[in-house]
Amino acid sequence: GPVAETFRVIQGAMTEEYVRSTQGIFQFELSGDGGGTWYIDLKTKGGSAGFGKPPVTADVVMSMSGADFVKMFTDKLKPFMAFMSGNSSIIGDMMLRLSLEKML
């Protein structure tokens, strides 16, 4: 589905440089289509992304619908706007969230 596809794209876009400069782990609690727990690991060597809990505790946890997640990563929805509209919640390090936005 679109959520799994988006994580495949993210995994493919990761660079060592980006992992080194970010040093953060993001967990996504997605509802609806393609829902469940997903993660982006930008801390461990090489980085990784996929379905399930991150290998170590996440620095940032975001909750939103699968549809909003896909929109966020295809740039149809700025992450900040999603949080302002109250459709999603974020717990954790705001600076890390901003660095994730740069990757998008």
Side-chain angles (χ1 to χ4, degrees):
V3 170
E5 183 55 40
T6 303
F7 275 95
R8 263 198 299 282
V9 170
I10 293 165
Q11 173 83 58
M14 276 181 194
T15 63
E16 278 290 350
E17 178 54 40
Y18 194 73
V19 172
R20 237 194 336 271
S21 65
T22 306
Q23 291 296 297
I25 296 181
F26 302 85
Q27 184 173 322
F28 299 89
E29 296 296 340
L30 303 182
S31 57
D33 203 24
T37 301
W38 297 78
Y39 74 93
I40 300 174
D41 175 355
L42 292 169
K43 199 177 250 183
T44 313
K45 184 171 163 48
S48 63
F51 186 71
K53 284 222 185 299
V56 296
T57 307
D59 299 297
V60 178
V61 178
M62 298 190 203
S63 305
M64 63 181 69
S65 73
D68 275 355
F69 174 82
V70 172
K71 277 191 212 139
M72 178 171 115
F73 274 86
T74 51
D75 212 34
K76 293 186 180 70
L77 177 77
K78 283 275 171 250
F80 187 68
M81 291 308 291
F83 299 113
M84 291 302 285
S85 70
N87 293 338
S88 46
S89 73
I90 180 164
I91 303 159
D93 188 324
M94 287 311 272
M95 291 313 294
L96 279 175
R97 188 182 73 73
L98 292 173
S99 65
L100 181 67
E101 244 171 79
K102 285 208 275 292
M103 175 183 171
L104 315 185

